[in-house]
Amino acid sequence: MIDEDFTRGLLEQHTFLTKVSHEDCLCLLCPPEHWVEIAKFLRNEETFELLADLTAIDQGEESEFRFTVVAHYYSRIHHDYLRIKCDCTDSLSPKIPSLSSIFPAADWHERETFDMFGIEFTDHPNLKRILMWDEYPYFPLRKEFPLAGIDTPLPADDVVEVTQASVEPAPMMGGPFVTSGSGPMSNSEPRAKDESWTEEVEKSK
Amino acid sequence: MIANELAYNGKVEGDVVVTKADAVINWIRKHSVWPMPMGLACCAIELMASAASRYDISRFGMEVMRFSPRQSDCMIVAGTVTYKMAEVVRRIYDQMGDPKWVVAMGACASTGGMYRSYAVMQGVDNIVPVDVYVSGCPPRPEALLDAMMKLQDKIANESSASNLLKANPSGSLPAK
């Protein structure tokens, strides 16, 4: 486990880091200009050799810093995770340096984060969409994007010509479909919360 | 002698079965439906189970899973069709030789299933004409076998002989 001494040492050595309240592993906030430096330090000088996860959070348009990039490092000496957060200063075209030169694992994580949030990772070797197709115009995990999706043409023109298919908003039908997670399986399977469309269940107020 | 050969020959008569062209063609087709396993999600595991010894889809002449669309007759869409994958599914369907059929296996392939989401096509029938839909999430192998038997019934009732002569653009979808 990461102990108090380690935390104090890290904060004294890197004064730009600030401790953030956390419920699980140690969480530190880092300014974008030191984002690569601290990753290098954690891998080379400390024992955090595994980049376990890299993703982002959309805090909403009204927040001062809308996008926060989050990285989880794991140390097999400490047997513990360390979370480093970084607020992107520009909320309209968020940018942050890429970690892929230090952790090759960051490559696809950063592509996914770019795909879902539209955060640009500067100096990334191949920053293009990884899940959605290249021409897709939206960033689906941003707050303003509806779960059902937005009308968009499909990428293949010849297929569209034959089938007239396009990306259409999915019918939510009282959804999203969620599981209650308890009770017998017949009750806990994913279902819409508002099932008034079945005409058997009263519409929930 | 020659005139005799061309005329009615009692020896030949014993080996001739009189039937309709449709019946023969359909009988041949329905007993060797070679599936194209379009395994996109967990339904593919059930599809594999139905090919294995316990359920043994080969009882119906369908054990020859071909990963080449050129050699298959029936595309079994087993799993979630994302919009990104939809193009691929359609292209593979286009590459299959006629006659061809499509089975939408499971809730996702039939309707999008529980994925009411921006990324998932709400039913593979948006891009390929589906012959049989199988309910279930995922369907048990028995359900797939039942669907394949339903497909056999459908094949048995097609007017194959007249379809051979008809200009029939395959793969067109019914009007919305």
Side-chain angles (χ1 to χ4, degrees):
Chain A
M1 297 298 287
I2 292 177
D3 53 17
E4 285 296 316
D5 289 344
F6 174 83
T7 312
R8 205 178 312 113
L10 194 65
L11 288 172
E12 277 169 12
Q13 202 174 349
H14 302 278
T15 46
F16 52 82
L17 291 175
T18 39
K19 203 171 158 187
V20 187
S21 70
H22 55 91
E23 306 236 330
D24 42 6
C25 58
L26 175 64
C27 179
L28 303 169
L29 189 69
C30 169
E33 59 270 24
H34 297 290
W35 179 246
V36 177
E37 180 192 330
I38 193 70
K40 231 178 229 168
F41 173 82
L42 288 172
R43 197 196 66 166
N44 297 338
E45 313 297 324
E46 292 292 337
T47 54
F48 291 86
E49 291 162 343
L50 181 75
L51 179 74
D53 189 20
L54 193 149
T55 184
I57 307 165
D58 182 354
Q59 319 265 17
E61 276 172 68
E62 63 282 353
S63 303
E64 187 190 355
F65 300 113
R66 184 172 168 186
F67 294 102
T68 305
V69 181
V70 185
H72 286 95
Y73 301 93
Y74 184 75
S75 164
R76 63 196 165 78
I77 305 299
H78 291 284
H79 300 296
D80 204 358
Y81 289 93
L82 170 59
R83 185 186 305 130
I84 308 277
K85 286 182 174 188
C86 174
D87 292 326
C88 297
T89 41
D90 188 350
S91 293
L92 291 176
S93 55
K95 279 191 190 64
I96 191 168
S98 168
L99 297 184
S100 53
S101 58
I102 302 153
F103 292 98
D107 187 323
W108 282 18
H109 280 111
E110 289 176 347
R111 280 179 63 187
E112 187 186 359
T113 311
F114 165 72
D115 193 354
M116 294 288 123
F117 293 95
I119 294 168
E120 190 193 324
F121 291 86
T122 50
D123 306 324
H124 190 283
N126 182 28
L127 191 67
K128 58 176 189 180
R129 286 181 183 272
I130 192 168
L131 296 171
M132 307 304 282
W133 54 99
D134 287 343
E135 299 84 10
Y136 193 70
Y138 305 105
F139 299 112
L141 284 191
R142 287 192 174 186
K143 288 277 186 223
E144 76 271 11
F145 187 89
L147 174 62
I150 299 175
D151 273 314
T152 315
L154 279 177
D157 293 336
D158 52 340
V159 170
V160 172
E161 197 180 320
V162 183
T163 61
Q164 273 81 52
S166 71
V167 179
E168 291 164 18
M172 293 311 284
M173 305 285 278
F177 289 58
V178 288
T179 174
S180 64
S182 60
M185 215 171 155
S186 54
N187 293 336
S188 62
E189 288 200 331
R191 61 183 65 214
K193 282 192 168 153
D194 176 11
E195 292 199 352
S196 54
W197 47 272
T198 64
E199 297 172 4
E200 288 171 11
V201 186
E202 287 285 310
K203 193 173 175 67
S204 56
K205 294 285 185 311
Chain B
M1 280 299 282
I2 293 162
N4 202 18
E5 288 282 310
L6 289 172
Y8 179 79
N9 185 336
K11 283 181 196 160
V12 174
E13 189 200 22
D15 295 334
V16 168
V17 179
V18 181
T19 180
K20 292 194 290 183
D22 275 354
V24 176
I25 296 170
N26 292 343
W27 179 72
I28 294 167
R29 282 181 180 170
K30 79 178 233 191
H31 290 293
S32 74
V33 180
W34 289 15
M36 161 81 227
M38 197 74 223
L40 301 175
C42 36
C43 280
I45 303 295
E46 298 298 306
L47 176 61
M48 289 175 226
S50 57
S53 54
R54 185 173 176 126
Y55 298 98
D56 197 8
I57 203 171
S58 70
R59 291 177 290 157
F60 308 95
M62 298 167 185
E63 78 277 24
V64 198
M65 300 271 176
R66 285 291 128 139
F67 292 87
S68 162
R70 306 282 185 209
Q71 299 173 355
S72 20
D73 304 303
C74 171
M75 180 193 268
I76 301 177
V77 185
T80 319
V81 186
T82 58
Y83 282 115
K84 197 174 177 183
M85 196 66 191
E87 174 193 346
V88 181
V89 174
R90 176 69 202 195
R91 266 187 222 296
I92 290 174
Y93 176 81
D94 285 339
Q95 287 166 6
M96 288 164 60
D98 280 318
K100 51 191 172 186
W101 300 276
V102 178
V103 173
M105 181 182 179
C108 291
S110 303
T111 68
M114 66 176 186
Y115 297 103
R116 304 288 177 213
S117 145
Y118 62 92
V120 175
M121 178 165 267
Q122 302 295 302
V124 75
D125 51 4
N126 282 304
I127 44 157
V128 289
V130 175
D131 294 285
V132 184
Y133 299 86
V134 193
S135 64
C137 184
R140 287 190 59 86
E142 294 97 318
L144 180 67
L145 292 181
D146 187 51
M148 297 307 278
M149 286 157 75
K150 291 268 191 310
L151 181 66
Q152 284 187 323
D153 293 344
K154 185 172 179 175
I155 294 170
N157 290 316
E158 280 177 354
S159 8
S160 311
S162 53
N163 284 351
L164 285 175
L165 306 171
K166 226 188 322 187
N168 185 21
S170 75
S172 56
L173 298 171
K176 276 184 189 171

